[in-house]
Amino acid sequence: MLGEKPRRTWQEAVVRWLADTQEKADHQKDVGKLKWLDTYLRDRYLDQIDRDLIDEIGRIKRAESSPSTANRYLALMRAILRMARNEWDWIDKVPHFRLYREPQKRVRWLRPKEADRLLKELPPHLEVMARFSLATGLRQRNVSYLRWEQVNLATGMAWIHADQSKSRKAFAVPLNQDALQVLIGQQGQHPEYCFTYHGEPVDRTTTKAWYKALKRAGISDFRWHDLRHTWASWHVQNGTSLYELMELGGWSSFEMVLRYAHMAGEHLRKAAGHVDGTVLTHPRNNKGLRLIASL
């Protein structure tokens, strides 16, 4: 009838979503998720995707993985359905559903001696990349595909362009002496990329060589991305403010660095002593203590 919206399929929505979001930093991850979802949604019209179906898909993914992984799939489904409603005007409503509760994970980081053990066990091409990661905090792909044109050794600076950044914002990377030493050692090995293996950028770092090195170093439950957590933890423990850390690491919001706030305990101990000797906290002032107890 005139004025009625034509029924659209999930596959049509997927095609348009991928076209509209191809600049996303995690575009390829979306592709992988959508291939899995295709098993359950390929023959569905958008108006057939109700809460019961979404809950069923969530339960299946949670059973084979984890609540956090299931949430990534559910969030992608919700984003596509919302875009179909809000921007494409293909549907009138989106089913309401909740994501699973995710346990708060601790920040995994290494102490300097542990990091040194790991570096000594890594093959040369991974060792230099890990050293650079620990010196700069850059994400794996930013290290893997760092080009010499993004580096100025004379000024001690590097740059991550907006299309290379997870936050889609360009940011500068000050190179400390450790980072400069690594790059100087890499000069002349490849005309375009700073880090290569057999003439190509190292796309995957979590290889068998990585896991074998972890085992030989006596380190467990540690991912390549935890090198970034280690770098951030070392910074905060040595007095770098969270705002400075946010800029150094290229995070898009202050909330992203709050996970490292508890690492500042040693740094804050001096500040905690600013009230030493005041009347209400002096242990020999019994009158003051009685006053506190009566409040």
Side-chain angles (χ1 to χ4, degrees), residues 3-292:
E4 287 188 355
K5 298 176 182 178
R7 295 182 80 189
R8 300 283 190 165
T9 66
W10 170 256
Q11 288 188 329
E12 288 180 288
V14 167
V15 170
R16 184 158 181 182
W17 167 268
L18 291 175
D20 288 359
T21 62
Q22 58 184 328
E23 299 302 322
K24 283 182 62 182
D26 54 357
H27 180 76
Q28 287 304 313
K29 291 183 180 180
D30 282 356
V31 172
K33 294 183 180 71
L34 290 168
K35 286 180 179 179
W36 185 89
L37 288 168
D38 187 64
T39 303
Y40 307 96
L41 297 172
R42 67 162 68 98
D43 298 323
R44 300 279 183 166
Y45 286 101
L46 293 179
D47 57 17
Q48 292 178 320
I49 302 175
D50 56 17
R51 179 168 181 172
D52 288 340
L53 177 58
I54 293 171
D55 287 345
E56 179 185 357
I57 293 172
R59 285 193 295 270
I60 293 171
K61 176 50 69 174
R62 181 183 181 183
E64 70 177 36
S65 55
S66 66
S68 59
T69 300
N71 282 344
R72 305 292 84 77
Y73 285 75
L74 292 172
L76 178 58
M77 291 173 60
R78 182 163 60 188
I80 293 175
L81 292 172
R82 284 179 174 175
M83 187 170 282
R85 180 193 63 188
N86 299 338
E87 298 191 25
W88 308 333
D89 198 28
W90 284 5
I91 53 178
D92 294 321
K93 62 181 181 179
V94 175
H96 177 75
F97 60 94
R98 294 181 179 179
L99 302 182
Y100 294 108
R101 184 183 298 276
E102 297 183 30
Q104 292 292 326
K105 296 182 178 179
R106 64 185 177 87
V107 174
R108 182 72 171 95
W109 59 281
L110 298 179
R111 291 177 172 79
K113 289 184 178 180
E114 293 176 305
D116 187 57
R117 288 206 313 269
L118 174 59
L119 292 171
K120 289 177 180 178
E121 296 294 344
L122 288 171
H125 70 286
L126 292 181
E127 179 196 353
V128 291
M129 293 180 66
R131 285 188 183 277
F132 192 72
S133 299
L134 288 169
T136 61
L138 286 176
R139 295 179 175 89
Q140 181 255 314
R141 291 192 69 81
N142 293 145
V143 177
S144 292
Y145 291 94
L146 186 68
R147 300 171 184 263
W148 287 112
E149 65 184 25
Q150 295 173 247
V151 175
N152 188 327
L153 295 178
T155 61
M157 294 295 296
W159 299 269
I160 301 301
H161 302 303
D163 61 349
Q164 301 170 315
S165 169
K166 187 175 181 180
S167 65
R168 284 303 186 237
K169 295 180 181 179
F171 65 96
V173 183
L175 301 172
N176 56 27
Q177 290 302 310
D178 290 343
L180 286 171
Q181 184 178 356
V182 171
L183 290 175
I184 291 171
Q186 292 297 106
Q187 284 184 301
Q189 296 194 27
H190 194 276
E192 184 177 2
Y193 294 101
C194 300
F195 301 99
T196 57
Y197 182 61
H198 294 324
E200 297 293 335
V202 186
D203 185 70
R204 290 184 63 249
T205 52
T206 50
T207 59
K208 289 182 179 179
W210 166 259
Y211 291 112
K212 288 179 179 179
L214 286 173
K215 186 175 181 179
R216 290 193 299 269
I219 297 170
S220 60
D221 185 29
F222 193 79
R223 308 163 302 162
W224 184 275
H225 190 72
D226 293 327
L227 295 171
R228 179 170 167 85
H229 292 319
T230 298
W231 164 85
S233 300
W234 288 354
H235 260 289
V236 175
Q237 290 168 14
N238 284 280
T240 303
S241 73
L242 293 181
Y243 283 105
E244 290 171 324
L245 184 67
M246 182 179 73
E247 292 193 51
L248 287 171
W251 278 286
S252 59
S253 67
F254 185 69
E255 286 71 21
M256 297 296 293
V257 297
L258 286 177
R259 74 185 83 176
Y260 306 107
H262 68 286
M263 298 288 183
E266 189 68 23
H267 175 55
L268 294 174
R269 188 166 62 175
K270 180 179 178 181
H274 290 170
V275 294
D276 279 346
T278 57
V279 173
L280 292 180
T281 61
H282 202 292
R284 291 175 293 182
N285 192 326
N286 295 326
K287 183 178 180 181
L289 291 177
R290 287 195 298 273
L291 175 61
I292 294 173

